[in-house]
Amino acid sequence: MIKGLMALFTSGIIFHPMVMLGILFGLIEGIWLDLEQILALYKNWAFALLVILVALLYNFTLNQRFLDDGVSLDYKQMLKHTFTSVVAFYFSSICGGLFINFIII
């Protein structure tokens, strides 16, 4: 388990802004929400659209990717990174919530 935690820090994935936001959200949901509220939140389309919007804003403003010419934006690559940011947010928030439930129980 310690090697797994060390791998998260050495690879740098834990410092990705969407992962950090997901961990923070998972800790908050693990403390204040019960299982029915968490499931209702993840089934809510407005919440999913909010996560997608935050990922789009992050990838199109702070994490821009350029084509080989260095001038034009690589929209295909940025959309791919947006999708992976959304998946990383959901995965890290679920893991953060499970961690809190593991600690409490």
Side-chain angles (χ1 to χ4, degrees), residues 1-75:
M1 183 172 143
I2 299 297
K3 286 185 179 183
L5 280 173
M6 287 176 53
L8 285 174
F9 284 102
T10 57
S11 69
I13 190 71
I14 198 100
F15 299 115
H16 188 275
M18 291 300 290
V19 173
M20 290 175 69
L21 188 64
I23 291 171
L24 178 68
F25 184 75
L27 295 176
I28 291 170
E29 78 181 14
I31 292 171
W32 284 305
L33 300 178
D34 60 353
L35 183 61
E36 291 86 20
Q37 292 172 329
I38 293 171
L39 290 176
L41 183 67
Y42 284 128
K43 290 179 183 178
N44 190 355
W45 282 100
F47 178 70
L49 289 176
L50 178 67
V51 171
I52 292 169
L53 178 68
V54 169
L56 276 171
L57 286 174
Y58 167 69
N59 283 300
F60 278 82
T61 57
L62 300 175
N63 194 21
Q64 293 178 347
R65 303 290 175 169
F66 293 96
L67 292 173
D68 291 334
D69 61 1
V71 177
S72 304
L73 292 174
D74 189 0
Y75 292 108

